[in-house]
Amino acid sequence: MRITLRLFFSMKVLWIGIGLLLCGVRQLPAQNKPNILIIYADDLGIGDVSAYGKGKLATPNIDKLAQGGVRFNNAYATSATCTPSRYALLTGQYPWRNPRAKILTGDAPALLDTAQKTVADLLKTQGYRTGVVGKWHLGLGNGSMDWNQPIQQNPNDLGFDYSFIMAATTDRVPTVYIENRRVLGLSAQDPLQVSYEKNFPGEPTALTSPELLTKQKWHHGHNQSVHNGIPRIGFMRGGKSALWQDETMGDVFVEKALNFIGTATTQPFFLYFALHQPHVPRVPHPRFVGKSGMGPRGDAILELDWCVGEILKHLQNKGLLENTLILFSSDNGPVLNDGYYDDAVEKVGAHDPFGALRGGKYSLFEGGAKVPFIVHWPARVRPGVSAALVCQLDLYASLAALLKLKTPLMDSQNQLAALLGKDKKGRKELVLEASGRLAYRSGPYAFIPAYQGMAVHKEVNIELGVSPSAQLYDLRSDPGQKNNLAAGSAQLLAKLRSAMQKAVGAYQTINEDLQLK
Ligand code: NG6
Ligand code: CA
């Protein structure tokens, strides 16, 4: 009896072993892997999302995500501007290690080396169908770009099976869509040329032909080529058949995203859906115009919310919502006047995009990189609110952990438990960046080293957090950073400075100029 039992058990172990081998133990079965969707807004503040209860706009669709998921109120992008935040989101590396990870022009060469692994690469190796729709702003090509030829070093070389993007921002030329490697709708008879150095002979600009500015006028910068009645940054000639209409951009991005998502299959998808709202120029579809009572910025946020709603509806209709992990966030904090006369300041009224935080886009203060952040995944995440310190940087290692993969030691941390709402603490520390300067979060403390430079970005009217003496805030009692504790806290300050120095030097530091004063 004993012998037969033993034989039975050893046979059982053998059969399980063979079974596991046949199934491939190293991969979760496809149907267990969630779809992964990042919805990334551009310059959206915590106060702009009604679920945060700080502003006056209504964003019912984003709120649905918040009500059905975990809403984080201590969550960050790595940076106070776009390119560096996106760099960190996709690579899991702090952007300030790469000296080129600054706001890029529309003709900048690819910032990411194809050897550098992205979240899309990671998910592709795990059998995901991968796509990016929307704003790229991470550079394209190898430096000598011909927009009329297939584009090399684009998202399709960085782990994305499908890409439908704008090169940089809505206020930078070229104002065309790029689908996979081609500018969409380009005619060989009218080649597209782009320069950020000088204008093309005979082409009008906002300065030479102000009568062309029929839709918006520039306040600062934004006075070069004009398209669709709106002046932009950079010079452009030709490509007329390919130029986008700002008013339909939201509709176009939604359509492309829905086509990419498609219907349920055995293959999971990863979509990085990078919307353009409410970045300048704010030109929503006429059906949103006047609806917020706050001018184009408010209307653009209503359009953003509609875009989110369309995606949710589609996922629901196709039975995909339950097992899709959605991360909703923004690349940096809000700004009102970012270079156009668009009534953002005049019509904001009692609405507070900043959610009572100090600073905003471009700033080392909380308003720079503290952003709305919601994780929605009905199959695994119970609704709630979390104060865990989380950062977009951690997506890479956390998704790797979700798929049971090992990642090399890097800036990105496995914060999966925090992202799923289980761990209420999250990170211990975080280094934040604004225009190449760094700030440090450690537990409840915000530390900003001493910097020389302008304290206020005058045109956008935002405090940059730059001061010739160090700053220290306790965010528990002072989330608005009004009370600088540095003077009376020499010991704590020294501790934070050395911890920050250690965090900055932790892994390979590529940018050698990076020294804290
Ligand atoms: C600034 C632009 C601003 C915006 C920003 C990038 C001027 C004067 N200002 O240089 O309008 O385009 O770059 O924004 O040109 S971001 O969200 O993509 O980082
Ligand atoms: Ca931005």
Side-chain angles (χ1 to χ4, degrees), residues 298-315:
D299 298 345
I301 293 171
L302 298 189
E303 187 185 61
L304 165 77
D305 186 66
W306 172 84
C307 293
V308 173
E310 290 303 290
I311 301 290
L312 288 182
K313 226 189 302 172
H314 179 88
L315 292 173

Side-chain angles (χ1 to χ4, degrees), residues 48-70:
D48 289 321
V49 175
S50 40
Y52 278 85
K54 293 171 188 287
K56 300 276 181 219
L57 272 167
T59 53
N61 292 301
I62 305 172
D63 289 6
K64 255 185 231 161
L65 285 177
Q67 279 139 19
V70 182

Side-chain angles (χ1 to χ4, degrees), residues 43 82 135 137 171-172 220 222 233 279 338 361-362:
D43 299 358
C82 163
K135 174 176 177 173
H137 212 187
D171 55 346
R172 282 174 177 75
H220 58 277
H222 307 98
I233 311 171
H279 194 282
D338 206 13
K361 181 175 180 179
Y362 308 111

Side-chain angles (χ1 to χ4, degrees), residues 121 137 212 229 267 301 451:
D121 283 311
H137 212 187
L212 295 177
Q267 192 182 15
I301 293 171
Y451 291 110

Side-chain angles (χ1 to χ4, degrees), residues 430-491:
L430 177 65
V431 181
L432 299 169
E433 183 265 353
S435 308
R437 298 186 181 104
L438 305 179
Y440 184 59
R441 281 281 328 258
S442 172
Y445 298 113
F447 166 62
I448 310 178
Y451 291 110
Q452 297 302 325
M454 303 283 285
V456 177
H457 186 321
K458 290 228 169 56
E459 283 128 338
V460 302
N461 191 25
I462 283 176
E463 287 185 291
L464 296 176
V466 173
S467 158
S469 52
Q471 300 173 72
L472 170 65
Y473 301 95
D474 184 337
L475 300 177
R476 284 169 299 196
S477 53
D478 184 21
Q481 297 178 300
K482 292 195 173 76
N483 187 16
N484 182 3
L485 303 172
S489 320
Q491 251 181 332

Side-chain angles (χ1 to χ4, degrees), residues 306-381:
W306 172 84
C307 293
V308 173
E310 290 303 290
I311 301 290
L312 288 182
K313 226 189 302 172
H314 179 88
L315 292 173
Q316 180 94 59
N317 290 343
K318 301 291 178 198
L320 289 163
L321 194 60
E322 178 73 12
N323 201 24
T324 298
L325 190 172
I326 303 176
L327 166 65
F328 175 87
S329 198
S330 172
D331 64 343
N332 50 254
V335 56
L336 290 173
N337 177 348
D338 206 13
Y340 293 90
Y341 285 100
D342 64 3
D343 282 345
V345 176
E346 293 75 4
K347 295 202 172 154
V348 73
H351 176 61
D352 177 12
F354 306 90
L357 298 179
R358 191 167 178 187
K361 181 175 180 179
Y362 308 111
S363 178
L364 288 168
F365 285 132
E366 288 279 276
K370 189 172 250 182
V371 285
F373 194 109
I374 299 165
V375 174
H376 183 275
W377 181 12
R380 287 278 298 272
V381 167

